[in-house]
Amino acid sequence: MTRINPALQPCLPVRIFWAVLFLCCFILPSCQKEDLQPGPIIDPVEGRILATDTLRSGGLLGMQIGDPYEEVYETIKTIALDKNIDILWVTNPQFEGIEVLKGKLGYYSDLRLSNRSKPSEYILFEIEKDRIKTIYDPEGRQLPKWPAGRQYRYTINVGDPVDLVYPKLLQLQSSPKYKEYFSAIAAFAKFISKPYDTRMSASSEWYLNYRQPDKKSVTRNTLLFKDGTLQEIRTLVQATP
């Protein structure tokens, strides 16, 4: 799997690469325990470390320690334009059943369907502007549609709007041939322009990446939550490679 660093805005294949890395770094430990998932998610921005900081009281960029999830998200939306942030990385466990994302497919820039018992069997959809932008197989090849072969009423094509994709996914999920792809679903990269998703409240860690105005460094803010509120903000500043 592969993924974009929202801070650096690289090309799509690089973006997918970092998505895979994110899952490897933060989801893999649980995978080893449960034999669930291979990995995507956060881009460890390359470059020399310039500064680090940990905040457990007060606030940063309008985000206040003690703020609840939704309030933190609304604050992030207000700074997104100024910081040129379009993606918020949300570490959520994989889940079963596409119904969880009813009406929310366009909230995420990635959707990964995989087999819980065979993690190497998966399909990755890249989503942009509420349409399927790209489809990838496990080898990183771009596909014009999925499933391959004949065109059926449930075939998902590049360019399909997400409101038409959801009923197709429901049909595929009910098919004995494809239902295993819905046993471990992942969606981590949240478009900040989209409304809050209650799934985000199940996450203990969010991540933001953005360039500094001088373009010589990149900042990552790691937001740690506990008992429904923001408890800690970790900041890492690295030189732009």
Side-chain angles (χ1 to χ4, degrees), residues 14 21 26 37 43 50 56 76 112 119 148 151 161 167 192 197 199 202 208 213 217 224 228 230 233 237:
V14 176
L21 184 58
F26 297 95
Q37 43 206 27
D43 171 0
L50 302 177
R56 297 189 179 93
I76 292 172
R112 176 181 169 129
Q151 187 82 11
I192 295 174
D197 180 0
R199 289 182 62 246
L208 290 171
S217 62
L224 304 179
L230 181 61
I233 302 174
V237 181

Side-chain angles (χ1 to χ4, degrees), residues 2-3 5 20 23 64-65 71 74 77 88 140 144 186 201 233:
T2 32
R3 195 91 182 97
N5 178 349
V20 176
L23 187 56
Q64 297 293 320
I65 300 298
E71 194 169 323
E74 290 305 313
K77 289 173 71 73
L88 171 68
S201 297
I233 302 174

